[in-house]
Amino acid sequence: MAAKTSTDKASFKPRIAAFVCNWCTYTGADLAGTSRLQMAPNVRIIRLPCTGRIDPLFIIKAFERGADGVIVSGCHPADCHYTSGNYHARRRFAVARDVFGFMGIDPKRITFSWVSASEGGKWAEVVNDTTARVQELGPFSAYREMEARV
Amino acid sequence: MQALQELARKLLTDKTANVVIGWGQGPRGPRPIFVTQPEHADRLIFDTRCVHNLATYLNPRRAHLVPFVKKAVVVKPCDARAVAGLIRETQVKREDVVLIGMRCGGVVRDSDMDGKLTEATVSPRCMDCPDREPKLADHLMGEEASAPPKGKGPDMIAKLDAMSPAERWEFWQKELERCVRCHACREVCPMCFCDRCIADKSMPQWIESSPHPRGNLSWQMTRVMHMAGRCVGCGECTRACPVDIPLGLILRKMTQTVEERFGYRVSDDPTVPAPMGAYRLDDKQEFIL
Ligand code: SF4
Ligand code: SF4
Ligand code: SF4
């Protein structure tokens, strides 16, 4: 994915990868679509069975390959299709957020959310908020600059 | 020391253990030794230069040691925490190990130093160590010890926390660009016990294997994530790193988070559940929309 992202803020179109669970957020995102809600077109959805299946490494990989922001979203607590995947994920991402932040990835580039199958509106909000926030931060050029220095 | 040697001789003679893993004199200070013959028990030593965390030899990944089954290991209080970790995560059966606990007042940074404990020579892992003797032990040896000297150093976690993300990125890039991807940090670690490490998987390849800053960063972020609730802070990875990357700094940051959020403290009690395998319904989630 050779990225030709302009560093010019005005023409910058953030690329955001969204890792979502199959049962809640994916269905919620589908609802947002079928309800014809207006959403920023910057988000690419990657569907997984459960937030418990979302390895923090996915986030790193997305950034490595040129994402400017990442969304991780799944079922609300108590709603997990597999009972407890989201509780495990919550612990894991609490740590990942701190570790990644400590190593220099701005936590503002990562959104974590619970979006249920009926919350199409909330999904649209998450997408729009994240896009606006990342737009404001500008491109995540750190990885591209890394290429230049080696 | 004599008591230790006598005990080892006895354990090997009556076959309570098939090997005693301890420290012996090497060309550059103490080094790990494996004593299998009672008549070699007098090779065992213990002093402030015995820095190695020998619990790593209980890690089932060390295939050459698995056939010994019953192993006796000499442990400092901090090493006992790693043994507890291995028992907690069902990598070792408590009944398969004989733990020879040593009273300890701190060790020096590396085994080739002269052994005099001062603020300047004390190992970073000892600076805040609260335990003078291991609770998880079958035998207790050595003299009553006083607390190790408090080493003084800048609080690097606070220093990095105060930086902007871009500055932190810069800091870690400078460190990680030296990484040669020898994976010594993993090899030495008692708690890295996967048969096949994610760093060795090539289909798909999650972590680039060449020493390039991109894969280097992925590698450390991933390893630290795998160490969440597992790392016992023994500092062996940092000591093993040939290019002196301050790995302990990231691990300490992670350990702080785990402690603050989940109330988990590294201890030598194997019955405390591992925090990343557990959850609470009311775990804090202020970062989730
Ligand atoms: S780095 Fe992770 S995958 Fe590799 S051995 Fe350690 S715990 Fe296992
Ligand atoms: S300090 Fe390093 S070697 Fe020791 S348990 Fe933690 S990760 Fe493993
Ligand atoms: S020991 Fe150091 S150089 Fe080797 S892989 Fe680990 S961090 Fe890199």
Side-chain angles (χ1 to χ4, degrees):
Chain A
M1 256 198 256
K4 265 205 221 103
T5 311
S6 165
T7 40
D8 177 4
K9 257 199 177 172
S11 62
F12 164 57
K13 292 197 184 68
R15 273 181 304 180
I16 294 161
F19 298 99
V20 306
C21 85
N22 182 37
W23 302 99
C24 294
T25 303
Y26 190 81
T27 319
D30 209 23
L31 179 64
T34 47
S35 316
R36 308 222 171 269
L37 298 179
Q38 282 294 316
M39 272 179 288
N42 307 56
V43 174
R44 275 73 156 171
I45 291 184
I46 297 132
R47 174 164 63 153
L48 293 128
C50 176
T51 37
R53 174 63 186 93
I54 304 173
D55 192 311
L57 191 49
F58 294 0
I59 303 180
I60 307 175
K61 211 68 191 171
F63 284 130
E64 261 188 16
R65 297 295 176 92
D68 301 297
V70 170
I71 296 171
V72 174
S73 184
C75 308
H76 284 266
D79 278 355
C80 177
H81 188 77
Y82 308 101
T83 336
S84 58
N86 53 355
Y87 292 127
H88 287 290
R90 183 166 65 184
R91 283 209 161 184
R92 198 180 301 149
F93 288 117
V95 179
R97 200 170 161 272
D98 270 20
V99 169
F100 295 177
F102 192 66
M103 298 194 76
I105 292 180
D106 193 338
K108 291 214 254 334
R109 292 191 183 275
I110 315 174
T111 303
F112 298 95
S113 64
W114 306 131
V115 173
S116 77
S118 60
E119 291 178 315
K122 182 171 177 189
W123 175 252
E125 245 173 67
V126 166
V127 164
N128 290 334
D129 288 358
T130 308
T131 309
R133 198 177 341 112
V134 174
Q135 182 82 47
E136 186 54 38
L137 288 169
F140 188 36
S141 52
Y143 273 102
R144 290 186 279 273
E145 280 156 20
M146 183 195 272
E147 294 302 319
R149 72 200 268 174
V150 283
Chain B
M1 210 127 87
Q2 212 163 5
L4 170 65
Q5 295 167 353
E6 257 160 48
L7 175 65
R9 200 172 298 123
K10 183 172 159 299
L11 292 174
L12 290 167
T13 311
D14 64 20
K15 303 262 190 277
T16 314
N18 301 319
V19 60
V20 176
I21 306 172
W23 293 272
Q25 190 57 49
R28 291 176 301 278
R31 65 173 172 191
I33 59 165
F34 307 87
V35 182
T36 54
Q37 309 291 330
E39 59 273 28
H40 294 159
D42 56 0
R43 292 181 186 169
L44 289 164
I45 59 168
F46 183 77
D47 58 41
T48 56
R49 299 166 305 156
C50 295
V51 296
H52 321 73
N53 181 351
L54 303 178
T56 199
Y57 295 110
L58 297 178
N59 185 327
R61 191 159 52 85
R62 297 183 202 287
H64 58 302
L65 282 163
V66 170
F68 285 98
V69 187
K70 264 296 220 197
K71 305 179 195 93
V73 192
V74 189
V75 291
K76 305 184 288 296
C78 53
D79 307 336
R81 291 174 213 144
V83 179
L86 289 166
I87 297 171
R88 176 181 302 126
E89 309 230 14
T90 64
Q91 300 300 308
V92 170
K93 290 205 194 86
R94 179 66 184 91
E95 60 271 25
D96 283 350
V97 284
V98 180
L99 297 172
I100 308 174
M102 303 303 294
R103 294 195 179 85
C104 175
V107 291
V108 292
R109 274 200 313 278
D110 219 333
S111 51
D112 57 3
M113 297 168 67
D114 74 3
K116 206 169 156 315
L117 264 186
T118 68
E119 279 178 12
T121 62
V122 66
S123 164
R125 84 172 106 157
C126 304
M127 290 175 189
D128 300 309
C129 176
D131 299 324
R132 298 286 65 81
E133 57 183 49
K135 285 184 282 302
L136 184 72
D138 300 300
H139 305 272
L140 204 52
M141 323 234 105
E143 281 147 37
E144 293 284 329
S146 47
K150 285 256 174 229
K152 290 190 288 261
D155 181 352
M156 285 305 285
I157 293 187
K159 200 173 149 203
L160 263 94
D161 280 343
M163 291 180 184
S164 71
E167 287 166 338
R168 285 198 286 269
W169 177 275
E170 207 39 46
F171 174 90
W172 286 110
Q173 284 304 305
K174 284 225 177 71
E175 297 291 344
L176 289 169
E177 70 186 11
R178 297 196 303 277
C179 175
V180 292
R181 297 303 292 284
C182 60
H183 298 159
C185 43
R186 168 190 77 192
E187 293 306 309
V188 76
C189 177
M191 303 310 294
C192 258
F193 45 63
C194 301
D195 277 339
R196 197 152 169 239
C197 174
I198 183 119
D200 295 335
K201 290 190 179 149
S202 52
M203 290 187 49
Q205 186 179 57
W206 280 104
I207 299 170
E208 287 176 46
S209 55
S210 55
H212 177 286
R214 192 173 43 223
N216 296 355
L217 182 66
S218 257
W219 163 234
Q220 280 315 327
M221 283 186 177
T222 303
R223 207 181 84 83
V224 170
M225 280 310 297
H226 292 187
M227 286 300 113
R230 207 166 263 151
C231 171
V232 293
C234 67
E236 287 292 83
C237 48
T238 317
R239 200 170 64 85
C241 178
V243 291
D244 295 325
I245 297 171
L247 302 171
L249 186 54
I250 325 167
L251 288 156
R252 275 211 311 283
K253 172 73 186 179
M254 174 279 291
T255 304
Q256 269 184 9
T257 300
V258 170
E259 186 173 334
E260 280 164 19
R261 298 194 77 102
F262 316 133
Y264 174 84
R265 276 194 80 106
V266 180
S267 76
D268 63 3
D269 179 357
T271 62
V272 179
M276 299 314 277
Y279 61 83
R280 285 175 56 104
L281 298 181
D282 61 352
D283 276 332
K284 272 200 290 174
Q285 55 170 12
E286 79 296 344
F287 65 97
I288 306 177
L289 296 180

